[in-house]
Amino acid sequence: QNQLAESGGDSVQAGGSLRLSCKVSGYTYSTYYMGWFRQAPGKEREGVAAIDSDGNTKYADSVKGRFTISQDNAKNTLYLQMNTLKPEDTAMYYCAADPDVYRPLTTSDYNYWGQGTQVTVSS
């Protein structure tokens, strides 16, 4: 059973930083994509960053240069380092995984999801 568990969400001031973690268990695919998505109240869930099993990354334009996705395969953990946070980054952040992804930042391409962790950025 694939399980993803996010942590690291918090309330911070604008300009601050956070690092989100996603612990993965039971996921045994040798090739895969993993991604971070976020959903603000009243808005659709959107892709933030994704990484494949070769380490290739993809970012939404809104976070390029501020967020960095990475993975530690030894710890089965996915990370999202978020710097220079803005109030518009406020959202519930989810990690997702799937062995077969065509569009890395598209929600519907992923079948396995965590429960989310809340990030709130105040001005």
Side-chain angles (χ1 to χ4, degrees):
Q1 180 103 18
N2 300 312
Q3 292 187 338
L4 293 81
E6 303 94 337
S7 62
D10 205 344
S11 297
V12 297
Q13 296 279 339
S17 297
L18 281 175
R19 188 176 79 157
L20 305 183
S21 300
C22 175
K23 180 71 173 178
V24 182
S25 59
Y27 194 82
T28 60
Y29 299 106
S30 58
T31 60
Y32 56 82
Y33 263 97
M34 295 195 69
W36 286 99
F37 294 77
R38 65 187 181 187
Q39 187 167 17
K43 295 187 177 181
E44 292 189 356
R45 193 171 298 188
E46 63 176 0
V48 174
I51 188 168
D52 69 13
S53 48
D54 292 327
N56 300 304
T57 59
K58 189 174 180 67
Y59 295 92
D61 289 343
S62 59
V63 306
K64 280 181 182 177
R66 299 189 298 122
F67 290 10
T68 303
I69 189 171
S70 63
Q71 57 190 349
D72 185 333
N73 292 329
K75 296 182 178 180
N76 292 328
T77 303
L78 178 73
Y79 301 102
L80 185 67
Q81 177 67 43
M82 305 187 295
N83 298 327
T84 319
L85 282 161
K86 305 176 180 180
E88 51 264 43
D89 294 319
T90 295
M92 184 72 78
Y93 282 72
Y94 300 88
C95 67
D98 203 279
D100 187 17
V101 170
Y102 179 67
R103 300 161 296 182
L105 296 181
T106 298
T107 305
S108 59
D109 276 29
Y110 291 81
N111 286 300
Y112 304 105
W113 292 86
Q115 294 300 307
T117 186
Q118 178 68 38
V119 172
T120 303
V121 185
S122 57
S123 57

